[in-house]
Amino acid sequence: MNASSATAAPPLGAHIERLDDVLAATVASQDAPFVVAAVADTGGLRWSGTAGQDGTGEDVRLDAVFRIYSQTKAIGATALLILVDRGLVSLDTPVAQLLPDFAGVHLLDSIGLSGPVLRAPRTECTVRHLLTHTSGLAYEGLDARMTAYRGATGDPVTGILSLQTLLSYPFVFEPGSAFAYGVGVDWVGQLVERLDGRRIDRFCAEEIFDPLGMTDTVFEPSDRPGRIPAVRQRTPSGGFRVVDVAPPEHPAIYGLGTCLYGTALDYLRFLRMVLGGGELDGRRILSDAAVELLRTDQMPAGLSVSPITSDDHSWSCDIHPFPEVRKTWTAGFLRVEADVPGMRSAGTLSWGGILNTHYWVDPANNVAAVFMTQALPFVEPRFMDRYAQFERAVYRDLVADGEEDER
């Protein structure tokens, strides 16, 4: 696939049918209640499709607005990198130097009979640590140390938490010494507000969403009423039940880890900016140097992404994509360091949100794609098998076509 083939894409014929078949089979087998998916390159949209119903008895729309949760994180990283481009901060800036409140974050040394034992960390936490999930700020439910801490403080895990709670977490290891997926990018949102002066919702609208034409990406669901599908959760019988899960509305402060709503096509515009080296439709968001930070491993030397173990498989299964491949974290994305046969290439960037909104962006093959629903648990194996089937179909039917066109 290349940009020239996208502007005058060849007729896809049976290829569209095959991709549509993956979506239809996903819903028919109850591997997801519905799916919205799309594929693009630097030249534009190559394919899109939907299957299933949105929970109101209506067929899901291509412009359905999703609770994208951790898909917010790459946008949060982009907000920070805009300020890196402006010389206001670097990835190696100590966070407490800019946010005095951060100096009060302590490290969980142990949990004794009287409760948690905290101490000051010996290592300064930097912006790089926050962005690459090497700060030691971990999510409860996805890290046994944080789950134990929450229990020891008499505040057991109750699902989606407020940002104020997330920002009260201690480190579970010395910054820069290990990987643990967590709340670092929420602190990044506070950094952006402190350095720029604008509230984070205004900053993102003016610096990212408006320039990229992401007209349906918002902080509040009331801004896009009637287009937000219901969330379903797997039941013991294998079906789904509707559950009430959403980021808190009108919080006192917004983080940049989980707070956004948006459409599949909006997120593809963001991914096309990454494919395009920081630019989309003539609007430049990031410099070449900043895009390099988004595309390349930024973890402290010797570290890589380790498996993430879930405490509650009704919310999230264990997270260990492509276990045979070494994975790192860039300033904004999970990155695979080797080719996955029949699928993504080395250097592909990806991640997703807790309600099973998933994406990847493959610069080597000039392809980006989204595969999105609103269902729990996260990364349920049967759903991920369909996502992998979709990805293989994209490379077989679209990427291979682009390579044939070039020849």
Side-chain angles (χ1 to χ4, degrees):
M1 179 186 292
N2 58 31
S4 61
S5 68
T7 55
L12 298 179
H15 303 321
I16 287 183
E17 184 178 332
R18 289 182 189 177
L19 289 171
D20 282 339
D21 285 348
V22 175
L23 271 59
T26 300
V27 173
S29 60
Q30 290 198 297
D31 296 324
F34 69 86
V35 185
V36 176
V39 185
D41 62 15
T42 49
L45 184 67
R46 288 295 307 277
W47 175 90
S48 62
T50 67
Q53 294 190 331
D54 65 6
T56 69
E58 299 293 328
D59 290 343
V60 68
R61 297 163 46 164
L62 184 60
D63 66 351
V65 175
F66 292 80
R67 308 155 188 83
I68 66 172
Y69 278 105
S70 285
Q71 284 189 215
T72 305
K73 288 180 169 64
I75 292 172
T78 299
L80 189 282
L81 292 176
I82 289 170
L83 300 187
V84 171
D85 274 340
R86 293 174 185 171
L88 297 178
V89 65
S90 80
L91 264 60
D92 294 316
T93 301
V95 181
Q97 179 179 308
L98 301 174
L99 287 176
D101 288 350
F102 196 80
V105 179
H106 282 65
L107 188 144
L108 178 63
D109 190 66
S110 61
I111 298 177
L113 294 177
S114 300
V117 177
L118 302 175
R119 63 168 175 81
R122 300 184 181 93
T123 306
E124 285 189 309
C125 180
T126 67
V127 175
R128 182 185 307 275
H129 297 147
L130 294 181
L131 291 173
T132 59
H133 301 286
T134 57
S135 65
L137 296 170
Y139 279 133
E140 83 297 325
L142 296 178
D143 185 278
R145 294 160 294 192
M146 269 309 303
T147 301
Y149 170 82
R150 296 264 296 159
T153 58
D155 191 12
V157 176
T158 56
I160 303 301
L161 301 172
S162 70
L163 179 58
Q164 289 93 328
T165 298
L166 296 177
L167 296 186
S168 72
Y169 284 4
F171 302 113
V172 296
F173 52 72
E174 290 287 345
S177 66
F179 169 85
Y181 185 63
V183 303
V185 185
D186 289 301
W187 279 105
V188 165
Q190 300 305 292
L191 273 175
V192 172
E193 286 193 348
R194 176 64 62 89
L195 291 168
D196 180 78
R198 284 173 284 182
R199 268 186 29 146
I200 199 63
D201 50 345
R202 181 181 165 200
F203 180 95
C204 288
E206 294 177 353
E207 301 286 352
I208 301 174
F209 306 152
D210 292 347
L212 294 181
M214 297 171 66
T215 57
D216 282 322
T217 301
V218 295
F219 283 75
E220 291 296 335
S222 57
D223 293 336
R224 295 295 181 275
R227 291 166 52 192
I228 304 174
V231 178
R232 265 71 69 89
Q233 187 173 36
R234 182 74 66 191
T235 65
S237 64
F240 290 103
R241 64 185 180 96
V242 174
V243 291
D244 184 14
V245 177
E249 294 185 37
H250 302 290
I253 51 176
Y254 291 111
L256 281 180
T258 60
C259 61
L260 288 175
Y261 292 73
T263 64
L265 296 187
D266 262 17
Y267 209 82
L268 263 186
R269 292 191 65 80
F270 172 70
L271 298 179
R272 286 179 58 217
M273 178 276 293
V274 177
L275 276 181
E279 185 175 345
L280 180 68
D281 296 342
R283 299 293 300 271
R284 177 159 288 280
I285 302 299
L286 295 172
S287 69
D288 290 343
V291 172
E292 185 72 5
L293 296 175
L294 272 183
R295 288 187 178 185
T296 58
D297 175 17
Q298 296 301 317
M299 300 181 83
L303 295 184
S304 58
V305 173
S306 53
I308 302 169
T309 302
S310 170
D311 293 336
D312 183 352
H313 283 197
S314 69
W315 276 84
S316 175
C317 298
D318 296 343
I319 308 167
H320 190 27
F322 307 109
E324 72 283 2
V325 175
R326 180 174 178 264
K327 295 168 289 291
T328 59
W329 210 279
T330 75
F333 301 99
L334 179 78
R335 170 187 158 105
V336 293
E337 296 295 339
D339 292 346
V340 180
M343 301 172 73
R344 61 191 66 184
S345 298
T348 292
L349 315 170
S350 66
W351 199 235
I354 186 73
L355 298 181
N356 283 300
T357 58
H358 297 269
Y359 67 86
W360 82 89
V361 52
D362 182 347
N365 284 296
N366 186 24
V367 61
V370 291
F371 190 81
M372 299 169 67
T373 190
Q374 299 278 262
L376 294 166
F378 184 55
V379 297
E380 185 180 29
R382 59 193 285 182
F383 177 82
M384 296 306 288
D385 287 346
R386 292 297 186 181
Y387 179 35
Q389 184 183 22
F390 174 76
E391 182 174 339
R392 286 191 293 270
V394 168
Y395 282 88
R396 181 188 66 233
D397 297 342
L398 296 185
V399 175
D401 272 353
E403 293 170 351
E404 288 291 333
D405 293 340
E406 286 185 345
R407 291 195 287 271

